[in-house]
């Protein structure tokens, strides 16, 4: 029977005391990552090759080094203390000097030497050069080692800031970038532009795009260099279109790389989104994403080009376009990328707008919200209130609204934040606290006015304004938004659909229920990517209709828009066997509905109908599925619109 060789005994101080000076020095070199190469050991320790060979063989024989020449792991914990800090430090410096002179320094040795506390410009330079080639997470560690052993030059400080930002550590990134900006008089224009880009990106992620714009305004067109397109994009998003165009005009001469060409197309697309047509803007933005080539390391930008393009598509109702852009972005995102959350949030937003609330909620639930910065958190809160509003979950709505207050207190409005702001605006009215967000709504309206009411961005905001007026039961407040949508309709099919829906809403509020007009407006909203809004319009019209047949017809429209088509889902879970028309109830269900609308509990209904409360619960669930109601309050509204609970009918109960 074979037996394993005995494991080396743990190293003790007495074990080490039995070793001579060359042997202890070799142990120190191995602790620092050196190979047990007799020639290297001899050169570093300045001893004869034979002495080096003898020392290595002794260490193998006594169990300090294994057969592969590697220091046995169990010995490491005691070695550093036993050898002494001074000896390890001296050996580290000699090892570094040898490898630098021979041009054979490796990263493991460099990091081990750095860990010993040796300060060296050569070591700093080596670690920084390796950091430039590493992925952001490893580069952060390498720059940290380099900073501990020497002084970083401006280029290294900015490299360190960039990888910290890309890894999500914005506080460290902005602090490093600001340390360069503080010495602006002695810093090159190229380094100043890099420092501004990192600092501006940090501000944008924290929901302060006005700060980002101020940084680029301070830098000016004459110093921005190759980052002119980035500066222009920030200025457009902040509402400073004239400055953006001036920066672009002064940016000729930038090297025609794929990166600069892509940034230029992105900036051009943003300018077109304000001054030109939505189609031209989307074309430029999408082409910016399609250029070949990919940098070894991404640059930290104020926003992801894919996110900007997807948001532009969402503002036009181009949900399929947004989905395609975001899917490609998610596939190419590097692990740990600072843009990953942004792409997932916008994907969830697209699902919510389309009416796939389960998919939106699932994607939102999978995200680690605790690590997000303010801009992403604004979308988190927008999604939460939007989903709660669409499902009629008032408790969740109140909770989500309360959770959003911290972000709302700090955020500065920009073009890319109008969608979550709109959802929170509607929520503020639903919960009776519009004053908490009035300042941001005013800022948003001022922003689009300053930009000349660009149809691509302003239409969505005005549609939220229409809905806000409806919720607040202030038809007069609806008129300015309806007029703005009417103007935008001249250049935008999306705005035209919203304008038509706005007119239909106004007529509904005035009690003029035209089934054909309401259905046309509702289905138009569905076609331009707002099926839930279309269903809500039809449902609200049904609730206000005095004619039961009209109400039922409109409820069927609402139900059809709320439920995905069977071709898309494979089945329609809302369709259940029963009466010939999906909008009609069985006699027993009608009896239950009548009493439910009157406010009776399941137990009370069961007592009147001589059936159990559990059976009543099953009846209510079937009624809700049949009508496509997504909440109890919506179910009750639908039943009232169908005639249940009217005074003339109550005798039946």
């Amino acid at each position: 029977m074979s037996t394993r060789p005995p494991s080396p005994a743990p190293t003790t101080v007495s074990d080490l005391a039995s070793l001579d000076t060359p042997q202890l020095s070799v142990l120190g070199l191995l602790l620092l990552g050196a190979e047990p190469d007799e020639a290297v050991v001899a050169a570093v320790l300045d001893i004869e090759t034979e002495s080096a060979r003898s020392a290595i063989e002794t260490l193998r024989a006594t169990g300090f080094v294994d057969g592969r020449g590697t220091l046995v792991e169990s010995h490491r914990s005691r070695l550093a203390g036993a050898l002494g800090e001074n000896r390890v430090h001296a050996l580290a410096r000699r090892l570094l000097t040898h490898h630098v002179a021979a041009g054979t320094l490796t990263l493991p040795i460099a990091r081990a030497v750095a860990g010993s506390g040796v300060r060296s410009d050569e070591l700093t330079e080596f670690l920084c050069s390796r950091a430039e080639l590493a992925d952001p997470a490893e580069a952060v560690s390498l720059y940290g080692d380099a900073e501990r052993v020497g002084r970083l030059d401006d280029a290294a400080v900015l490299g360190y800031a960039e990888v910290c930002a890309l890894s999500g550590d914005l506080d460290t990134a902005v602090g490093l970038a600001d340390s360069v900006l503080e010495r602006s008089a002695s810093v090159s224009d190229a380094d100043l532009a890099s420092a501004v880009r990192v600092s501006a990106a940090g501000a944008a992620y924290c929901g302060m795009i006005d700060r980002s714009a101020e940084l680029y305004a301070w830098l000016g067109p004459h110093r921005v260099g190759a980052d002119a397109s980035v500066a222009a994009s920030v200025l457009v998003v902040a509402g400073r279109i004239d400055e953006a165009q001036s920066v672009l005009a002064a940016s000729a001469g930038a090297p025609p790389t794929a990166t600069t060409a892509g940034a230029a197309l992105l900036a051009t697309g943003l300018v077109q989104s304000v001054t030109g047509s939505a189609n031209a803007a989307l074309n430029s933005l999408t082409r910016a994403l399609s250029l070949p080539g990919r940098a070894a390391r991404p640059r930290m930008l104020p926003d992801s080009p894919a996110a900007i393009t997807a948001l532009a598509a969402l503002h036009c109702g181009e949900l399929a376009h947004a989905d395609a852009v975001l899917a490609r972005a998610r596939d190419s995102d590097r692990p740990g990328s600072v843009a990953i959350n942004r792409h997932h949030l916008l994907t969830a937003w697209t699902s919510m707008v389309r009416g796939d609330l389960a998919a939106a909620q699932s994607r939102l639930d999978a995200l680690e919200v605790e690590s997000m910065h303010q801009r992403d958190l604004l979308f988190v809160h927008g999604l939460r209130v939007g989903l709660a509003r669409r499902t009629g979950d008032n408790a969740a709505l109140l909770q989500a609204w309360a959770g959003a207050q911290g972000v709302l207190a700090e955020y500065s409005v920009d073009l890319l934040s109008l969608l979550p702001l709109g959802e929170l605006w509607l929520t503020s009215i639903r919960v009776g606290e519009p004053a908490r967000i009035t300042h941001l709504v005013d800022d948003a309206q001022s922003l689009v006015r300053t930009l000349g009411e660009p149809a691509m961005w302003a239409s969505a905001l005005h549609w939220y304004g229409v809905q806000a007026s409806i919720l607040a039961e202030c038809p007069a407040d609806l008129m300015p938004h309806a007029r703005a949508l009417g103007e935008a309709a001249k250049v935008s099919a999306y705005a035209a659909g919203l304008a038509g829906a706005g007119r239909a809403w106004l007529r509904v509020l005035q009690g003029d229920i035209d089934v054909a007009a309401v259905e046309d407006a509702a289905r138009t909203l569905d076609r331009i990517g707002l099926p839930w809004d279309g269903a809500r319009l039809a449902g609200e019209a049904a609730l206000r209709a005095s004619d039961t047949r009209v109400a039922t017809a409109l409820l069927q429209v609402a139900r059809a828009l709320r439920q995905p088509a069977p071709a898309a889902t494979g089945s329609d879970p809302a369709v259940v066997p029963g009466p010939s028309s999906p909008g009609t109830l069985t006699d027993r269900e009608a009896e239950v509905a009548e009493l439910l609308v009157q406010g009776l509990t399941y137990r009370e209904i069961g007592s009147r109908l001589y059936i159990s409360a559990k059976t009543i619960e099953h009846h209510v669930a079937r009624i809700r599925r049949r009508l496509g109601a997504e909440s109890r309050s919506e179910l009750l509204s639908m039943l009232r619109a169908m005639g249940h609970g009217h005074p003339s009918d109550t005798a039946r109960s």
Side-chain angles (χ1 to χ4, degrees):
M1 182 175 66
S2 63
T3 58
R4 294 182 179 179
S7 301
T11 305
T12 64
V13 174
S14 60
D15 292 333
L16 294 170
S18 67
L19 302 178
D20 59 23
T21 298
Q23 292 164 354
L24 285 172
S25 296
V26 172
L27 278 180
L29 294 179
L30 296 177
L31 189 66
L32 292 164
E35 296 288 333
D37 184 303
E38 57 196 48
V40 172
V41 169
V44 172
L45 299 181
D46 194 20
I47 60 177
E48 296 294 329
T49 302
E50 184 59 37
S51 297
R53 182 184 303 112
S54 175
I56 293 169
E57 290 175 352
T58 298
L59 293 175
R60 282 197 176 99
T62 53
F64 286 97
V65 177
D66 63 22
R68 294 169 297 177
T70 303
L71 182 66
V72 173
E73 193 64 33
S74 60
H75 297 329
R76 287 182 178 275
S77 59
R78 293 189 180 91
L79 265 180
L83 290 171
E85 183 178 338
N86 289 339
R87 179 181 295 197
V88 172
H89 191 277
L91 288 170
R93 183 166 292 282
R94 295 186 71 167
L95 183 64
L96 176 65
T97 300
H98 166 78
H99 282 296
V100 168
T104 55
L105 184 61
T106 63
L107 187 55
I109 291 176
R111 300 198 76 167
V113 170
S116 74
V118 168
R119 294 188 64 81
S120 164
D121 291 340
E122 292 93 343
L123 183 56
T124 297
E125 183 179 348
F126 177 85
L127 288 168
C128 287
S129 68
R130 290 305 181 92
E132 291 173 3
L133 304 175
D135 65 71
E138 184 183 3
V140 167
S141 179
L142 290 170
Y143 278 122
D145 288 344
E147 186 180 41
R148 283 190 292 274
V149 300
R151 181 182 176 278
L152 302 184
D153 60 22
D154 289 339
V157 169
L158 292 170
Y160 192 6
E162 183 118 54
V163 295
C164 285
L166 290 169
S167 300
D169 184 359
L170 296 184
D171 288 339
T172 300
V174 172
L176 290 166
D178 283 356
S179 72
V180 173
L181 294 177
E182 288 166 358
R183 297 180 288 101
S184 60
S186 60
V187 176
S188 70
D189 287 352
D191 284 345
L192 279 180
S194 294
V196 164
R197 177 170 49 78
V198 172
S199 192
Y205 271 77
C206 291
M208 296 183 288
I209 200 69
D210 51 350
R211 159 72 177 162
S212 306
E214 286 299 327
L215 281 164
Y216 277 113
W218 169 82
L219 186 65
H222 62 291
R223 294 190 296 190
V224 71
D227 281 342
S229 297
V230 178
S233 295
V234 166
L235 291 165
V236 173
V237 171
R240 299 163 72 156
I241 186 66
D242 291 340
E243 292 172 77
Q245 290 174 315
S246 296
V247 170
L248 284 178
S251 67
T257 64
T259 298
T260 55
L265 272 172
L266 189 74
T268 298
L270 280 170
V271 170
Q272 290 171 330
S273 75
V274 172
T275 63
S277 74
N279 289 336
L282 268 183
N283 179 268
S284 295
L285 293 170
T286 307
R287 284 191 293 133
L289 304 177
S290 302
L291 284 170
R294 188 179 185 187
R297 178 194 296 153
R299 298 195 308 159
M300 184 64 185
L301 298 171
D303 203 354
S304 148
I308 293 173
T309 304
L311 278 165
L314 283 168
H315 277 81
C316 299
E318 297 287 349
L319 304 189
H321 193 128
D323 260 338
V325 166
L326 291 167
R328 186 165 66 174
R330 295 194 309 273
D331 287 344
S332 61
D333 277 336
R334 292 175 168 86
S337 165
V338 73
I340 286 178
N341 285 336
R342 184 82 159 150
H343 297 154
H344 281 286
L345 285 168
L346 292 179
T347 301
W349 196 280
T350 306
S351 296
M352 180 181 75
V353 173
R354 180 183 290 113
D356 191 351
L357 306 187
Q361 187 68 62
S362 176
R363 193 171 290 274
L364 177 59
D365 290 343
L367 295 174
E368 295 182 7
V369 175
E370 295 75 14
S371 63
M372 293 184 188
H373 299 285
Q374 300 299 81
R375 182 173 63 192
D376 287 345
L377 286 175
L378 184 71
F379 274 84
V380 167
H381 295 305
L383 278 164
R384 285 176 175 169
V385 299
L387 289 167
R389 185 168 68 90
R390 286 163 173 79
T391 57
D393 190 337
N394 288 329
L397 189 73
L398 287 168
Q399 183 178 12
W401 171 250
Q405 297 312 302
V407 173
L408 291 178
E410 301 175 1
Y411 212 88
S412 64
V413 174
D414 58 70
L415 279 184
L416 304 181
S417 64
L418 299 181
L419 295 179
L421 177 63
E423 288 294 334
L424 289 160
W425 181 9
L426 298 184
T427 300
S428 73
I429 297 170
R430 282 283 298 273
V431 302
E433 297 182 347
R436 287 184 174 271
I437 200 172
T438 299
H439 62 294
L440 293 178
V441 173
D442 289 345
D443 287 347
Q445 293 176 335
S446 176
L447 174 65
V448 296
R449 281 196 301 269
T450 299
L451 292 171
E453 294 282 346
M456 178 180 241
W457 303 104
S459 296
L461 181 65
H462 287 304
W463 178 242
Y464 279 117
V466 167
Q467 296 178 78
S469 304
I470 294 164
L471 278 174
E473 298 184 354
C474 295
D477 291 346
L478 185 151
M479 295 306 298
H481 300 294
R483 283 195 295 268
L485 287 171
E487 282 298 310
K490 298 174 183 177
V491 295
S492 166
Y494 183 72
L498 296 178
R503 289 191 295 271
W505 265 114
L506 188 57
R507 292 179 63 183
V508 167
L509 292 178
Q510 294 168 342
D512 181 6
I513 312 299
D514 182 325
V515 175
V518 170
E519 180 173 0
D520 181 64
R523 294 196 182 280
T524 297
L525 286 172
D526 179 43
R527 283 195 299 273
I528 64 174
L530 297 171
W532 189 85
D533 296 73
R536 182 166 172 267
L537 169 58
E540 183 66 24
L543 295 180
R544 293 171 182 264
S546 57
D547 186 320
T548 301
R549 288 175 299 176
V550 170
T552 301
L554 289 172
L555 283 172
Q556 289 176 351
V557 173
R559 191 164 53 251
L561 296 182
R562 290 274 179 101
Q563 299 167 4
T569 62
S571 64
D572 188 343
V575 176
V576 295
S580 58
S581 170
T584 59
L585 305 180
T586 66
D587 290 343
R588 176 61 87 184
E589 288 170 350
E591 289 179 311
V592 171
E594 190 65 41
L595 297 173
L596 187 68
V597 171
Q598 293 178 31
L600 275 66
T601 66
Y602 290 170
R603 183 181 297 277
E604 291 168 338
I605 297 172
S607 176
R608 291 206 184 187
L609 300 180
Y610 303 101
I611 53 180
S612 71
K614 192 69 175 176
T615 301
I616 298 299
E617 183 180 350
H618 291 317
H619 279 307
V620 172
R622 282 197 296 271
I623 295 168
R624 183 170 170 175
R625 287 197 302 271
R626 196 186 308 286
L627 298 182
E630 295 183 358
S631 67
R632 179 182 174 85
S633 61
E634 184 179 12
L635 173 62
L636 293 175
S637 296
M638 286 182 166
L639 292 174
R640 291 190 188 100
M642 293 169 66
H644 296 288
H646 288 183
S648 60
D649 296 327
T650 55
R652 216 170 43 150
S653 62

